[in-house]
Amino acid sequence: MTRKKEEYKLTPFWLEITDIIKKIDFKEEKIEPNGDFILYRKIINFLYRGATGTLFEIKEALGEEELNNFLNYVRFYLENCERPGHYYPSKLVKKQIKEVKQTKNLFDLSDTLNEISKLEFEKHGNKKAKGWLPNES
């Protein structure tokens, strides 16, 4: 069963951001999501809204070798957006890539993935887990 968006925990970093946004000082200003938040949201959507489920189904039904075959195809598909037969990014995707590039120095992908991993361990009862990359955080 798919869980509602409200049921997913945010990492401590993003909890701070949501607290800041809720402060009175910011209520009158329009706050545009920046690149790192866009990427964070897309990672969460990838992990919890279906794409990872598809990868898991391929792995469980067809095996690890076929999963690797599929992932190799995905890499090929993403390789050259200028050639037919490959992924072609929309204007929105291109805009978001630009925004992510502008803020990439503020965002540590490995640390964010590790924080998400720690939340997954906590959700399943292990409150002391160090996450996917225990030496990174």
Side-chain angles (χ1 to χ4, degrees), residues 2-33:
T2 304
R3 296 171 68 185
K4 292 182 182 176
K5 182 167 52 171
E6 302 87 42
E7 294 176 9
Y8 292 106
K9 291 184 180 181
L10 293 175
T11 62
F13 175 76
W14 292 109
L15 286 172
E16 285 181 46
I17 290 175
T18 57
D19 288 344
I20 290 169
I21 289 172
K22 289 178 185 175
K23 288 186 178 177
I24 296 171
D25 300 348
F26 293 104
K27 288 200 182 215
E28 299 301 317
E29 297 177 32
K30 183 177 180 186
I31 298 175
E32 294 291 329

Side-chain angles (χ1 to χ4, degrees), residues 75-89:
R75 288 182 191 97
F76 164 81
Y77 185 64
L78 297 174
E79 212 170 76
N80 188 346
C81 65
E82 302 302 319
R83 291 177 37 208
H86 294 265
Y87 176 75
Y88 183 78

Side-chain angles (χ1 to χ4, degrees), residues 1-110:
M1 184 171 169
T2 304
R3 296 171 68 185
K4 292 182 182 176
K5 182 167 52 171
E6 302 87 42
E7 294 176 9
Y8 292 106
K9 291 184 180 181
L10 293 175
T11 62
F13 175 76
W14 292 109
L15 286 172
E16 285 181 46
I17 290 175
T18 57
D19 288 344
I20 290 169
I21 289 172
K22 289 178 185 175
K23 288 186 178 177
I24 296 171
D25 300 348
F26 293 104
K27 288 200 182 215
E28 299 301 317
E29 297 177 32
K30 183 177 180 186
I31 298 175
E32 294 291 329
N34 59 15
D36 51 346
F37 186 73
I38 289 168
L39 190 56
Y40 179 81
R41 187 181 66 226
K42 288 189 177 279
I43 290 168
I44 293 298
N45 282 335
F46 182 90
L47 293 174
Y48 301 119
R49 300 276 190 265
T52 301
T54 300
L55 295 175
F56 184 76
E57 289 171 12
I58 291 170
K59 178 183 171 267
E60 291 298 307
L62 304 175
E64 192 75 35
E65 188 175 327
E66 291 301 320
L67 174 62
N68 288 332
N69 191 32
F70 178 74
L71 292 173
N72 286 333
Y73 174 76
V74 170
R75 288 182 191 97
F76 164 81
Y77 185 64
L78 297 174
E79 212 170 76
N80 188 346
C81 65
E82 302 302 319
R83 291 177 37 208
H86 294 265
Y87 176 75
Y88 183 78
S90 67
K91 288 180 183 180
L92 175 62
V93 169
K94 289 179 181 181
K95 177 181 177 250
Q96 290 177 340
I97 289 169
K98 184 178 177 183
E99 291 170 359
V100 169
K101 283 182 175 181
Q102 290 172 344
T103 60
K104 71 181 178 186
N105 294 333
L106 304 173
F107 186 75
D108 184 327
L109 182 60
S110 292

